[in-house]
Amino acid sequence: MKKIIVLLLIFSACSGEAIDETPEEPITTTPSTTTTPSTTTTPSTTTTTKNIEALPEEPLESDKRRYRGVLRTSILQSVPLVYDFKNYTEKVINPDHEYIEYFGYDIRIPVIADSQKCSNEVNSTIEITVNNLIDDTKSVLEFTNPEEAVEEWGGFSEWLLIDYDIVELSEEAISLFISYSTYSFGAAHPISATIGLNYHTEDCSTLEIEQLFDSSKAEYENLVSLEMLNQLCANATKDECQIFLNFTDPFPTLTELLDCCSAFAVSEFGLFVQFWEYEVSGYGQGSELILLPWYDLVPVLDQNGPYADMLKEFSTESWIFSIFEPRWSF
Protein backbone atom coordinates (compact mmCIF):
# COMPACT_ATOMS: atom_id res chain seq x y z
CA MET A 1 0.00 0.00 0.00
CA LYS A 2 1.39 3.32 -0.98
CA LYS A 3 2.47 5.57 1.89
CA ILE A 4 1.71 9.12 0.83
CA ILE A 5 1.19 10.99 4.08
CA VAL A 6 4.59 12.72 3.96
CA LEU A 7 3.72 14.55 0.75
CA LEU A 8 -0.03 15.22 1.08
CA LEU A 9 0.24 18.71 2.59
CA ILE A 10 2.83 19.81 0.05
CA PHE A 11 0.86 18.50 -2.92
CA SER A 12 -2.40 20.00 -1.70
CA ALA A 13 -0.83 23.46 -1.53
CA CYS A 14 -0.40 23.38 -5.30
CA SER A 15 -3.62 21.61 -6.28
CA GLY A 16 -5.62 22.87 -9.25
CA GLU A 17 -9.24 22.83 -10.26
CA ALA A 18 -11.09 19.53 -10.37
CA ILE A 19 -11.72 17.96 -13.74
CA ASP A 20 -15.34 17.70 -14.84
CA GLU A 21 -16.19 13.98 -15.02
CA THR A 22 -18.86 14.49 -17.70
CA PRO A 23 -17.83 12.41 -20.72
CA GLU A 24 -17.71 14.13 -24.07
CA GLU A 25 -17.37 13.08 -27.70
CA PRO A 26 -13.81 12.42 -28.94
CA ILE A 27 -11.85 14.97 -30.91
CA THR A 28 -12.36 14.44 -34.61
CA THR A 29 -10.05 14.99 -37.52
CA THR A 30 -12.17 17.57 -39.35
CA PRO A 31 -13.69 20.81 -38.00
CA SER A 32 -17.12 20.39 -39.57
CA THR A 33 -18.17 16.86 -38.61
CA THR A 34 -18.22 14.69 -35.51
CA THR A 35 -16.98 11.12 -35.92
CA THR A 36 -17.18 8.59 -33.10
CA PRO A 37 -15.12 5.47 -33.91
CA SER A 38 -17.19 2.27 -33.99
CA THR A 39 -16.46 -0.47 -31.48
CA THR A 40 -16.39 -3.04 -34.29
CA THR A 41 -14.47 -1.34 -37.09
CA THR A 42 -10.90 -0.27 -37.63
CA PRO A 43 -10.30 3.43 -36.86
CA SER A 44 -9.41 5.87 -39.62
CA THR A 45 -5.88 7.07 -40.27
CA THR A 46 -6.89 10.59 -41.33
CA THR A 47 -4.28 13.25 -40.64
CA THR A 48 -4.69 14.80 -37.19
CA THR A 49 -5.99 18.32 -36.70
CA LYS A 50 -6.17 19.61 -33.14
CA ASN A 51 -9.79 20.63 -33.28
CA ILE A 52 -12.18 20.80 -30.33
CA GLU A 53 -15.05 22.54 -32.09
CA ALA A 54 -16.77 19.21 -32.74
CA LEU A 55 -17.02 18.34 -29.03
CA PRO A 56 -20.74 18.37 -28.16
CA GLU A 57 -22.19 20.07 -25.12
CA GLU A 58 -24.15 16.97 -24.07
CA PRO A 59 -22.42 13.89 -22.61
CA LEU A 60 -22.38 10.56 -24.37
CA GLU A 61 -24.78 7.88 -23.25
CA SER A 62 -23.01 5.25 -21.16
CA ASP A 63 -23.35 2.54 -23.81
CA LYS A 64 -21.64 4.74 -26.41
CA ARG A 65 -18.54 5.72 -24.46
CA ARG A 66 -15.32 4.84 -26.25
CA TYR A 67 -12.63 6.60 -24.24
CA ARG A 68 -11.77 6.03 -20.58
CA GLY A 69 -10.00 9.36 -20.29
CA VAL A 70 -7.33 10.16 -17.72
CA LEU A 71 -6.71 7.16 -15.44
CA ARG A 72 -4.77 8.94 -12.71
CA THR A 73 -3.23 12.33 -12.04
CA SER A 74 -0.62 11.41 -9.42
CA ILE A 75 2.13 8.84 -9.22
CA LEU A 76 0.85 8.14 -5.69
CA GLN A 77 -2.25 6.52 -7.20
CA SER A 78 -2.30 2.97 -8.55
CA VAL A 79 -2.64 2.21 -12.25
CA PRO A 80 -6.21 1.03 -13.00
CA LEU A 81 -6.83 -2.19 -14.97
CA VAL A 82 -3.52 -3.70 -13.87
CA TYR A 83 -3.75 -7.00 -12.03
CA ASP A 84 -2.05 -7.88 -8.76
CA PHE A 85 0.63 -10.13 -10.19
CA LYS A 86 2.00 -12.70 -7.76
CA ASN A 87 5.39 -13.53 -9.28
CA TYR A 88 7.23 -10.67 -7.63
CA THR A 89 7.87 -9.40 -4.11
CA GLU A 90 8.31 -5.92 -2.71
CA LYS A 91 11.58 -4.70 -1.27
CA VAL A 92 11.97 -1.67 0.99
CA ILE A 93 15.27 0.20 0.74
CA ASN A 94 16.58 2.27 3.66
CA PRO A 95 19.71 4.20 2.61
CA ASP A 96 22.32 5.04 5.23
CA HIS A 97 24.91 7.76 4.85
CA GLU A 98 26.37 10.82 6.55
CA TYR A 99 23.82 13.34 7.88
CA ILE A 100 21.04 10.80 7.31
CA GLU A 101 18.90 12.60 9.91
CA TYR A 102 18.40 15.43 7.40
CA PHE A 103 17.13 13.10 4.67
CA GLY A 104 13.78 11.41 4.29
CA TYR A 105 13.51 8.25 2.21
CA ASP A 106 10.44 6.20 1.34
CA ILE A 107 11.59 3.65 -1.24
CA ARG A 108 9.82 0.53 -2.46
CA ILE A 109 10.85 -1.54 -5.46
CA PRO A 110 9.62 -4.79 -7.01
CA VAL A 111 11.81 -7.88 -7.13
CA ILE A 112 10.75 -10.16 -9.98
CA ALA A 113 10.70 -13.85 -9.06
CA ASP A 114 13.36 -16.16 -10.49
CA SER A 115 10.61 -18.20 -12.13
CA GLN A 116 9.83 -15.28 -14.44
CA LYS A 117 11.87 -15.20 -17.62
CA CYS A 118 14.22 -12.21 -17.83
CA SER A 119 13.97 -11.56 -14.08
CA ASN A 120 17.74 -11.07 -13.72
CA GLU A 121 17.86 -8.41 -16.42
CA VAL A 122 14.84 -6.56 -15.08
CA ASN A 123 15.89 -6.69 -11.42
CA SER A 124 19.36 -5.45 -12.30
CA THR A 125 17.94 -2.47 -14.20
CA ILE A 126 15.59 -1.61 -11.34
CA GLU A 127 18.45 -1.68 -8.82
CA ILE A 128 20.67 0.51 -11.01
CA THR A 129 17.85 2.99 -11.65
CA VAL A 130 16.96 3.33 -7.97
CA ASN A 131 20.59 3.55 -6.81
CA ASN A 132 21.17 6.36 -9.29
CA LEU A 133 18.22 8.27 -7.84
CA ILE A 134 19.54 7.78 -4.30
CA ASP A 135 23.03 8.90 -5.33
CA ASP A 136 21.58 11.98 -6.98
CA THR A 137 19.66 12.88 -3.81
CA LYS A 138 22.61 12.54 -1.44
CA SER A 139 24.99 14.27 -3.88
CA VAL A 140 23.91 17.56 -2.29
CA LEU A 141 26.36 16.70 0.49
CA GLU A 142 29.23 17.27 -1.94
CA PHE A 143 28.69 21.02 -1.74
CA THR A 144 26.41 21.56 1.27
CA ASN A 145 26.90 20.92 4.99
CA PRO A 146 23.40 20.43 6.47
CA GLU A 147 24.40 21.83 9.87
CA GLU A 148 25.76 25.00 8.32
CA ALA A 149 22.72 25.22 6.05
CA VAL A 150 20.41 25.16 9.07
CA GLU A 151 22.28 28.09 10.60
CA GLU A 152 22.30 30.05 7.34
CA TRP A 153 18.90 29.16 5.87
CA GLY A 154 16.94 28.19 8.96
CA GLY A 155 16.53 24.60 7.90
CA PHE A 156 17.66 21.80 5.63
CA SER A 157 15.98 18.64 4.32
CA GLU A 158 15.99 16.36 1.29
CA TRP A 159 13.20 13.90 0.55
CA LEU A 160 13.08 11.06 -1.95
CA LEU A 161 10.03 8.88 -2.53
CA ILE A 162 10.25 5.98 -4.98
CA ASP A 163 7.37 3.67 -5.86
CA TYR A 164 6.44 1.39 -8.74
CA ASP A 165 3.61 -0.01 -10.83
CA ILE A 166 3.76 -3.43 -12.46
CA VAL A 167 1.92 -3.05 -15.76
CA GLU A 168 2.69 -6.33 -17.56
CA LEU A 169 4.34 -9.46 -16.22
CA SER A 170 3.61 -12.23 -18.69
CA GLU A 171 5.08 -14.68 -21.16
CA GLU A 172 5.23 -11.91 -23.76
CA ALA A 173 6.56 -8.86 -21.93
CA ILE A 174 7.61 -7.28 -18.66
CA SER A 175 6.62 -3.66 -18.30
CA LEU A 176 6.63 -1.40 -15.26
CA PHE A 177 6.84 2.17 -14.05
CA ILE A 178 9.40 3.40 -11.52
CA SER A 179 8.07 6.71 -10.18
CA TYR A 180 9.89 9.12 -7.93
CA SER A 181 9.26 12.40 -6.18
CA THR A 182 11.94 14.69 -4.75
CA TYR A 183 11.74 17.67 -2.44
CA SER A 184 14.39 20.08 -1.15
CA PHE A 185 14.01 22.48 1.76
CA GLY A 186 12.51 25.78 0.66
CA ALA A 187 10.98 24.53 -2.59
CA ALA A 188 7.36 25.34 -3.34
CA HIS A 189 6.45 21.72 -3.98
CA PRO A 190 7.97 18.34 -4.89
CA ILE A 191 9.01 17.45 -8.41
CA SER A 192 7.88 14.06 -9.66
CA ALA A 193 8.66 11.94 -12.71
CA THR A 194 8.26 8.39 -13.97
CA ILE A 195 10.61 6.00 -15.75
CA GLY A 196 9.22 3.25 -17.98
CA LEU A 197 11.02 -0.09 -18.12
CA ASN A 198 9.91 -2.44 -20.90
CA TYR A 199 11.34 -5.83 -21.83
CA HIS A 200 10.54 -8.25 -24.63
CA THR A 201 10.74 -11.69 -23.02
CA GLU A 202 11.55 -13.46 -26.27
CA ASP A 203 15.20 -12.45 -25.87
CA CYS A 204 15.12 -10.28 -22.69
CA SER A 205 15.95 -7.21 -24.75
CA THR A 206 14.70 -3.71 -24.02
CA LEU A 207 11.37 -3.23 -25.77
CA GLU A 208 11.66 -0.18 -28.00
CA ILE A 209 8.29 1.58 -28.08
CA GLU A 210 8.81 3.18 -31.48
CA GLN A 211 9.38 -0.24 -33.06
CA LEU A 212 5.78 -1.19 -32.31
CA PHE A 213 4.80 1.10 -35.16
CA ASP A 214 5.28 1.02 -38.91
CA SER A 215 7.29 4.20 -39.43
CA SER A 216 6.88 3.89 -43.20
CA LYS A 217 3.30 5.08 -42.73
CA ALA A 218 3.54 8.84 -42.66
CA GLU A 219 0.33 9.20 -40.66
CA TYR A 220 1.39 7.09 -37.68
CA GLU A 221 2.59 10.03 -35.57
CA ASN A 222 -0.64 11.92 -36.26
CA LEU A 223 -2.86 8.98 -35.38
CA VAL A 224 -1.07 8.36 -32.07
CA SER A 225 -1.28 12.06 -31.15
CA LEU A 226 -4.98 12.13 -32.01
CA GLU A 227 -5.71 9.16 -29.77
CA MET A 228 -3.75 10.78 -26.93
CA LEU A 229 -5.89 13.91 -27.25
CA ASN A 230 -9.09 11.86 -27.33
CA GLN A 231 -8.15 10.21 -24.05
CA LEU A 232 -7.01 13.45 -22.39
CA CYS A 233 -10.23 15.22 -23.33
CA ALA A 234 -12.67 12.32 -22.89
CA ASN A 235 -13.96 13.53 -19.52
CA ALA A 236 -13.25 17.21 -20.02
CA THR A 237 -15.33 20.15 -21.14
CA LYS A 238 -14.35 22.08 -24.23
CA ASP A 239 -12.68 24.73 -22.10
CA GLU A 240 -10.67 22.15 -20.15
CA CYS A 241 -9.63 20.48 -23.37
CA GLN A 242 -8.50 23.84 -24.72
CA ILE A 243 -6.27 24.22 -21.66
CA PHE A 244 -4.51 20.98 -22.61
CA LEU A 245 -4.00 22.17 -26.18
CA ASN A 246 -2.85 25.67 -25.25
CA PHE A 247 -0.35 24.41 -22.70
CA THR A 248 1.43 22.38 -25.34
CA ASP A 249 1.02 23.80 -28.81
CA PRO A 250 1.66 22.02 -31.01
CA PHE A 251 0.81 18.81 -29.20
CA PRO A 252 3.97 16.66 -28.92
CA THR A 253 4.47 13.71 -31.20
CA LEU A 254 5.27 10.21 -30.03
CA THR A 255 8.91 10.72 -31.00
CA GLU A 256 9.12 13.90 -28.93
CA LEU A 257 7.47 12.27 -25.92
CA LEU A 258 9.86 9.33 -26.10
CA ASP A 259 12.77 11.77 -26.14
CA CYS A 260 11.46 13.65 -23.07
CA CYS A 261 9.81 13.33 -20.60
CA SER A 262 6.90 10.89 -20.72
CA ALA A 263 7.07 7.23 -19.73
CA PHE A 264 5.49 4.36 -21.64
CA ALA A 265 4.43 0.86 -20.63
CA VAL A 266 3.19 -1.98 -22.81
CA SER A 267 0.31 -4.18 -21.70
CA GLU A 268 -2.24 -6.55 -23.15
CA PHE A 269 -4.77 -3.69 -22.89
CA GLY A 270 -2.72 -1.27 -24.97
CA LEU A 271 -0.03 1.33 -24.57
CA PHE A 272 0.02 3.25 -21.29
CA VAL A 273 1.33 6.81 -21.54
CA GLN A 274 2.41 8.53 -18.32
CA PHE A 275 2.88 12.24 -18.93
CA TRP A 276 5.23 14.33 -16.85
CA GLU A 277 3.45 16.74 -14.51
CA TYR A 278 4.13 19.75 -16.76
CA GLU A 279 3.87 18.01 -20.10
CA VAL A 280 0.27 18.55 -21.20
CA SER A 281 -1.12 20.71 -18.40
CA GLY A 282 -0.11 22.69 -15.34
CA TYR A 283 1.15 21.35 -12.03
CA GLY A 284 -2.28 21.68 -10.43
CA GLN A 285 -3.83 19.30 -12.97
CA GLY A 286 -1.31 16.58 -12.09
CA SER A 287 0.67 14.10 -14.16
CA GLU A 288 -1.87 12.45 -16.43
CA LEU A 289 -1.84 8.73 -17.22
CA ILE A 290 -3.79 7.50 -20.24
CA LEU A 291 -4.23 4.20 -22.05
CA LEU A 292 -4.20 3.89 -25.83
CA PRO A 293 -6.01 0.62 -26.66
CA TRP A 294 -4.48 -1.53 -29.37
CA TYR A 295 -7.79 -1.24 -31.20
CA ASP A 296 -7.07 2.42 -31.95
CA LEU A 297 -3.46 1.78 -32.98
CA VAL A 298 -3.98 -1.19 -35.33
CA PRO A 299 -3.68 0.84 -38.57
CA VAL A 300 -0.11 1.89 -37.75
CA LEU A 301 1.23 -1.13 -35.83
CA ASP A 302 4.07 -2.93 -37.60
CA GLN A 303 2.66 -6.22 -38.86
CA ASN A 304 6.14 -7.51 -39.61
CA GLY A 305 8.10 -5.86 -36.83
CA PRO A 306 10.07 -7.41 -33.97
CA TYR A 307 7.00 -7.43 -31.70
CA ALA A 308 4.47 -8.88 -34.15
CA ASP A 309 4.22 -12.19 -32.25
CA MET A 310 3.65 -10.37 -28.96
CA LEU A 311 0.91 -8.20 -30.45
CA LYS A 312 -0.69 -11.22 -32.07
CA GLU A 313 -0.86 -12.92 -28.68
CA PHE A 314 -2.32 -9.82 -27.04
CA SER A 315 -5.05 -9.70 -29.71
CA THR A 316 -6.25 -13.16 -28.66
CA GLU A 317 -6.90 -12.12 -25.04
CA SER A 318 -10.63 -11.82 -25.70
CA TRP A 319 -11.60 -11.85 -22.04
CA ILE A 320 -10.15 -8.35 -21.49
CA PHE A 321 -12.19 -6.66 -24.24
CA SER A 322 -14.71 -4.00 -23.28
CA ILE A 323 -16.41 -0.94 -24.73
CA PHE A 324 -13.26 1.00 -23.81
CA GLU A 325 -10.77 -1.54 -25.16
CA PRO A 326 -12.70 -3.17 -28.02
CA ARG A 327 -11.88 -6.45 -29.75
CA TRP A 328 -9.12 -6.09 -32.31
CA SER A 329 -7.30 -8.33 -34.75
CA PHE A 330 -3.68 -8.37 -35.80
PDB file of all heavy atoms in Angstrom, residues 182-201:
ATOM      1  N   THR A 182      10.866  14.101  -5.542  1.00  0.00           N
ATOM      2  CA  THR A 182      11.937  14.693  -4.746  1.00  0.00           C
ATOM      3  C   THR A 182      11.495  16.047  -4.201  1.00  0.00           C
ATOM      4  O   THR A 182      10.694  16.754  -4.821  1.00  0.00           O
ATOM      5  CB  THR A 182      13.212  14.887  -5.575  1.00  0.00           C
ATOM      6  OG1 THR A 182      12.951  15.814  -6.653  1.00  0.00           O
ATOM      7  CG2 THR A 182      13.686  13.574  -6.173  1.00  0.00           C
ATOM      8  N   TYR A 183      12.025  16.370  -3.025  1.00  0.00           N
ATOM      9  CA  TYR A 183      11.738  17.671  -2.440  1.00  0.00           C
ATOM     10  C   TYR A 183      12.957  18.159  -1.678  1.00  0.00           C
ATOM     11  O   TYR A 183      13.598  17.398  -0.944  1.00  0.00           O
ATOM     12  CB  TYR A 183      10.548  17.599  -1.475  1.00  0.00           C
ATOM     13  CG  TYR A 183      10.254  18.918  -0.807  1.00  0.00           C
ATOM     14  CD1 TYR A 183       9.599  19.928  -1.495  1.00  0.00           C
ATOM     15  CD2 TYR A 183      10.666  19.164   0.498  1.00  0.00           C
ATOM     16  CE1 TYR A 183       9.349  21.154  -0.899  1.00  0.00           C
ATOM     17  CE2 TYR A 183      10.414  20.391   1.110  1.00  0.00           C
ATOM     18  CZ  TYR A 183       9.754  21.385   0.400  1.00  0.00           C
ATOM     19  OH  TYR A 183       9.518  22.599   0.980  1.00  0.00           O
ATOM     20  N   SER A 184      13.295  19.433  -1.871  1.00  0.00           N
ATOM     21  CA  SER A 184      14.394  20.075  -1.150  1.00  0.00           C
ATOM     22  C   SER A 184      13.849  21.218  -0.311  1.00  0.00           C
ATOM     23  O   SER A 184      12.878  21.894  -0.704  1.00  0.00           O
ATOM     24  CB  SER A 184      15.436  20.625  -2.136  1.00  0.00           C
ATOM     25  OG  SER A 184      16.019  19.580  -2.901  1.00  0.00           O
ATOM     26  N   PHE A 185      14.452  21.435   0.835  1.00  0.00           N
ATOM     27  CA  PHE A 185      14.007  22.475   1.757  1.00  0.00           C
ATOM     28  C   PHE A 185      13.878  23.825   1.042  1.00  0.00           C
ATOM     29  O   PHE A 185      14.780  24.248   0.311  1.00  0.00           O
ATOM     30  CB  PHE A 185      15.007  22.606   2.912  1.00  0.00           C
ATOM     31  CG  PHE A 185      14.697  23.725   3.863  1.00  0.00           C
ATOM     32  CD1 PHE A 185      13.733  23.561   4.851  1.00  0.00           C
ATOM     33  CD2 PHE A 185      15.352  24.945   3.764  1.00  0.00           C
ATOM     34  CE1 PHE A 185      13.441  24.603   5.729  1.00  0.00           C
ATOM     35  CE2 PHE A 185      15.064  25.988   4.633  1.00  0.00           C
ATOM     36  CZ  PHE A 185      14.096  25.810   5.620  1.00  0.00           C
ATOM     37  N   GLY A 186      12.747  24.472   1.241  1.00  0.00           N
ATOM     38  CA  GLY A 186      12.514  25.783   0.660  1.00  0.00           C
ATOM     39  C   GLY A 186      11.780  25.773  -0.660  1.00  0.00           C
ATOM     40  O   GLY A 186      11.304  26.817  -1.106  1.00  0.00           O
ATOM     41  N   ALA A 187      11.671  24.608  -1.304  1.00  0.00           N
ATOM     42  CA  ALA A 187      10.980  24.533  -2.591  1.00  0.00           C
ATOM     43  C   ALA A 187       9.481  24.677  -2.399  1.00  0.00           C
ATOM     44  O   ALA A 187       8.929  24.367  -1.333  1.00  0.00           O
ATOM     45  CB  ALA A 187      11.296  23.209  -3.278  1.00  0.00           C
ATOM     46  N   ALA A 188       8.800  25.148  -3.423  1.00  0.00           N
ATOM     47  CA  ALA A 188       7.355  25.344  -3.339  1.00  0.00           C
ATOM     48  C   ALA A 188       6.607  24.025  -3.269  1.00  0.00           C
ATOM     49  O   ALA A 188       5.590  23.910  -2.585  1.00  0.00           O
ATOM     50  CB  ALA A 188       6.866  26.156  -4.532  1.00  0.00           C
ATOM     51  N   HIS A 189       7.100  23.032  -3.970  1.00  0.00           N
ATOM     52  CA  HIS A 189       6.448  21.723  -3.984  1.00  0.00           C
ATOM     53  C   HIS A 189       7.423  20.682  -4.524  1.00  0.00           C
ATOM     54  O   HIS A 189       8.462  21.021  -5.100  1.00  0.00           O
ATOM     55  CB  HIS A 189       5.175  21.753  -4.841  1.00  0.00           C
ATOM     56  CG  HIS A 189       5.402  22.258  -6.242  1.00  0.00           C
ATOM     57  ND1 HIS A 189       6.116  21.551  -7.195  1.00  0.00           N
ATOM     58  CD2 HIS A 189       5.003  23.413  -6.853  1.00  0.00           C
ATOM     59  CE1 HIS A 189       6.148  22.233  -8.326  1.00  0.00           C
ATOM     60  NE2 HIS A 189       5.491  23.375  -8.133  1.00  0.00           N
ATOM     61  N   PRO A 190       7.097  19.392  -4.350  1.00  0.00           N
ATOM     62  CA  PRO A 190       7.974  18.342  -4.886  1.00  0.00           C
ATOM     63  C   PRO A 190       7.958  18.337  -6.412  1.00  0.00           C
ATOM     64  O   PRO A 190       7.059  18.888  -7.053  1.00  0.00           O
ATOM     65  CB  PRO A 190       7.357  17.052  -4.329  1.00  0.00           C
ATOM     66  CG  PRO A 190       6.466  17.489  -3.226  1.00  0.00           C
ATOM     67  CD  PRO A 190       5.975  18.846  -3.587  1.00  0.00           C
ATOM     68  N   ILE A 191       8.955  17.713  -6.976  1.00  0.00           N
ATOM     69  CA  ILE A 191       9.010  17.453  -8.409  1.00  0.00           C
ATOM     70  C   ILE A 191       8.970  15.945  -8.598  1.00  0.00           C
ATOM     71  O   ILE A 191       9.740  15.205  -7.976  1.00  0.00           O
ATOM     72  CB  ILE A 191      10.294  18.029  -9.039  1.00  0.00           C
ATOM     73  CG1 ILE A 191      10.283  19.550  -8.945  1.00  0.00           C
ATOM     74  CG2 ILE A 191      10.423  17.576 -10.490  1.00  0.00           C
ATOM     75  CD1 ILE A 191       9.193  20.225  -9.762  1.00  0.00           C
ATOM     76  N   SER A 192       8.066  15.490  -9.457  1.00  0.00           N
ATOM     77  CA  SER A 192       7.882  14.057  -9.663  1.00  0.00           C
ATOM     78  C   SER A 192       8.101  13.690 -11.118  1.00  0.00           C
ATOM     79  O   SER A 192       7.914  14.519 -12.015  1.00  0.00           O
ATOM     80  CB  SER A 192       6.474  13.629  -9.237  1.00  0.00           C
ATOM     81  OG  SER A 192       6.224  13.978  -7.893  1.00  0.00           O
ATOM     82  N   ALA A 193       8.469  12.444 -11.349  1.00  0.00           N
ATOM     83  CA  ALA A 193       8.664  11.935 -12.705  1.00  0.00           C
ATOM     84  C   ALA A 193       8.549  10.417 -12.679  1.00  0.00           C
ATOM     85  O   ALA A 193       8.558   9.794 -11.609  1.00  0.00           O
ATOM     86  CB  ALA A 193      10.022  12.364 -13.266  1.00  0.00           C
ATOM     87  N   THR A 194       8.421   9.832 -13.849  1.00  0.00           N
ATOM     88  CA  THR A 194       8.257   8.387 -13.975  1.00  0.00           C
ATOM     89  C   THR A 194       9.190   7.859 -15.053  1.00  0.00           C
ATOM     90  O   THR A 194       9.403   8.500 -16.086  1.00  0.00           O
ATOM     91  CB  THR A 194       6.800   8.038 -14.328  1.00  0.00           C
ATOM     92  OG1 THR A 194       5.944   8.485 -13.278  1.00  0.00           O
ATOM     93  CG2 THR A 194       6.619   6.539 -14.500  1.00  0.00           C
ATOM     94  N   ILE A 195       9.738   6.687 -14.796  1.00  0.00           N
ATOM     95  CA  ILE A 195      10.611   5.997 -15.746  1.00  0.00           C
ATOM     96  C   ILE A 195       9.910   4.722 -16.176  1.00  0.00           C
ATOM     97  O   ILE A 195       9.445   3.945 -15.331  1.00  0.00           O
ATOM     98  CB  ILE A 195      11.973   5.661 -15.105  1.00  0.00           C
ATOM     99  CG1 ILE A 195      12.673   6.940 -14.653  1.00  0.00           C
ATOM    100  CG2 ILE A 195      12.850   4.872 -16.064  1.00  0.00           C
ATOM    101  CD1 ILE A 195      13.881   6.688 -13.759  1.00  0.00           C
ATOM    102  N   GLY A 196       9.824   4.478 -17.470  1.00  0.00           N
ATOM    103  CA  GLY A 196       9.223   3.254 -17.977  1.00  0.00           C
ATOM    104  C   GLY A 196      10.282   2.223 -18.310  1.00  0.00           C
ATOM    105  O   GLY A 196      11.256   2.537 -18.999  1.00  0.00           O
ATOM    106  N   LEU A 197      10.108   1.007 -17.813  1.00  0.00           N
ATOM    107  CA  LEU A 197      11.017  -0.095 -18.121  1.00  0.00           C
ATOM    108  C   LEU A 197      10.221  -1.174 -18.848  1.00  0.00           C
ATOM    109  O   LEU A 197       9.240  -1.695 -18.314  1.00  0.00           O
ATOM    110  CB  LEU A 197      11.631  -0.666 -16.834  1.00  0.00           C
ATOM    111  CG  LEU A 197      12.432   0.304 -15.965  1.00  0.00           C
ATOM    112  CD1 LEU A 197      12.957  -0.413 -14.722  1.00  0.00           C
ATOM    113  CD2 LEU A 197      13.586   0.922 -16.748  1.00  0.00           C
ATOM    114  N   ASN A 198      10.639  -1.491 -20.066  1.00  0.00           N
ATOM    115  CA  ASN A 198       9.910  -2.441 -20.903  1.00  0.00           C
ATOM    116  C   ASN A 198      10.863  -3.472 -21.481  1.00  0.00           C
ATOM    117  O   ASN A 198      11.903  -3.115 -22.052  1.00  0.00           O
ATOM    118  CB  ASN A 198       9.201  -1.702 -22.043  1.00  0.00           C
ATOM    119  CG  ASN A 198       8.209  -0.665 -21.542  1.00  0.00           C
ATOM    120  OD1 ASN A 198       7.123  -1.005 -21.093  1.00  0.00           O
ATOM    121  ND2 ASN A 198       8.585   0.611 -21.599  1.00  0.00           N
ATOM    122  N   TYR A 199      10.503  -4.743 -21.332  1.00  0.00           N
ATOM    123  CA  TYR A 199      11.338  -5.835 -21.828  1.00  0.00           C
ATOM    124  C   TYR A 199      10.518  -6.804 -22.668  1.00  0.00           C
ATOM    125  O   TYR A 199       9.386  -7.151 -22.315  1.00  0.00           O
ATOM    126  CB  TYR A 199      11.979  -6.594 -20.660  1.00  0.00           C
ATOM    127  CG  TYR A 199      13.166  -5.871 -20.057  1.00  0.00           C
ATOM    128  CD1 TYR A 199      12.969  -4.872 -19.110  1.00  0.00           C
ATOM    129  CD2 TYR A 199      14.467  -6.166 -20.450  1.00  0.00           C
ATOM    130  CE1 TYR A 199      14.049  -4.187 -18.555  1.00  0.00           C
ATOM    131  CE2 TYR A 199      15.549  -5.495 -19.907  1.00  0.00           C
ATOM    132  CZ  TYR A 199      15.335  -4.512 -18.969  1.00  0.00           C
ATOM    133  OH  TYR A 199      16.400  -3.836 -18.426  1.00  0.00           O
ATOM    134  N   HIS A 200      11.130  -7.234 -23.769  1.00  0.00           N
ATOM    135  CA  HIS A 200      10.541  -8.250 -24.631  1.00  0.00           C
ATOM    136  C   HIS A 200      11.100  -9.594 -24.167  1.00  0.00           C
ATOM    137  O   HIS A 200      12.307  -9.841 -24.275  1.00  0.00           O
ATOM    138  CB  HIS A 200      10.925  -7.985 -26.086  1.00  0.00           C
ATOM    139  CG  HIS A 200      10.201  -8.833 -27.066  1.00  0.00           C
ATOM    140  ND1 HIS A 200      10.729  -9.179 -28.289  1.00  0.00           N
ATOM    141  CD2 HIS A 200       8.974  -9.421 -27.004  1.00  0.00           C
ATOM    142  CE1 HIS A 200       9.861  -9.932 -28.939  1.00  0.00           C
ATOM    143  NE2 HIS A 200       8.801 -10.089 -28.184  1.00  0.00           N
ATOM    144  N   THR A 201      10.250 -10.467 -23.648  1.00  0.00           N
ATOM    145  CA  THR A 201      10.738 -11.686 -23.017  1.00  0.00           C
ATOM    146  C   THR A 201      11.265 -12.723 -24.010  1.00  0.00           C
ATOM    147  O   THR A 201      11.876 -13.707 -23.595  1.00  0.00           O
ATOM    148  CB  THR A 201       9.624 -12.330 -22.168  1.00  0.00           C
ATOM    149  OG1 THR A 201       8.472 -12.540 -22.981  1.00  0.00           O
ATOM    150  CG2 THR A 201       9.260 -11.435 -21.001  1.00  0.00           C
TER     151      THR A 201
END
